[in-house]
Amino acid sequence: MKTKVLAIDDSRTIRNLLAATLEEAGFEYHCAVDGREGVDMYDDVAPDVVITDINMPNLDGFGVIEELRGTGINSKVPILVLTTESAPEMKARARDAGATGWITKPFDDQSLIFALKRVTGAVA
């Protein structure tokens, strides 16, 4: 069974790059165009890992993390932040909200795949 990834990013370019990278590596890829859509589709997708941007319309990445962690059911699913932001206070805020890790854009394909495998224990 493939590892399911739910990627939440308002950038079509990033979603397309993630799709190409993750599908080629053997992951099952699902995406949402903003935080609200991502949270709303979470239960239907039942992902093994979530990747979220921080700066998005409707619900930002911090809101995504807080909503997913707030239900209790989702406390074990890893959440990786993929963003252009790199300020230590933003990383701390994401970690405090329940993020598992932080990756700065632009991302390196192999580093992203390695991080996903590490946090999910998956082979792909």
Side-chain angles (χ1 to χ4, degrees):
M1 188 152 93
K2 290 184 177 185
T3 299
K4 287 192 258 182
V5 178
L6 173 58
I8 308 168
D9 200 303
D10 60 325
S11 166
R12 181 183 323 209
T13 301
I14 293 296
R15 291 192 310 270
N16 290 342
L17 288 170
L18 286 169
T21 299
L22 300 180
E23 288 172 351
E24 182 177 317
F27 291 90
E28 182 180 324
Y29 177 76
H30 301 268
C31 67
V33 300
D34 62 44
R36 176 54 44 215
E37 182 182 57
V39 169
D40 290 348
M41 66 189 290
Y42 180 90
D43 288 333
D44 291 333
V45 173
D48 298 301
V49 61
V50 173
I51 299 172
T52 185
D53 189 12
I54 289 294
N55 300 311
M56 298 180 289
N58 300 321
L59 182 65
D60 68 12
F62 297 118
V64 168
I65 297 164
E66 290 163 359
E67 284 199 31
L68 293 181
R69 292 297 190 226
T71 64
I73 296 169
N74 309 311
S75 63
K76 300 211 183 318
V77 173
I79 300 173
L80 296 177
V81 175
L82 178 65
T83 184
T84 57
E85 301 291 344
S86 60
E89 59 274 5
M90 294 187 90
K91 291 180 182 180
R93 181 177 170 196
R95 189 173 38 255
D96 291 346
T100 309
W102 188 282
I103 300 169
T104 306
K105 294 177 188 173
F107 63 90
D108 172 71
D109 294 0
Q110 294 306 314
S111 296
L112 177 64
I113 291 164
F114 177 79
L116 289 171
K117 289 180 178 179
R118 186 170 44 85
V119 299
T120 63
V123 287

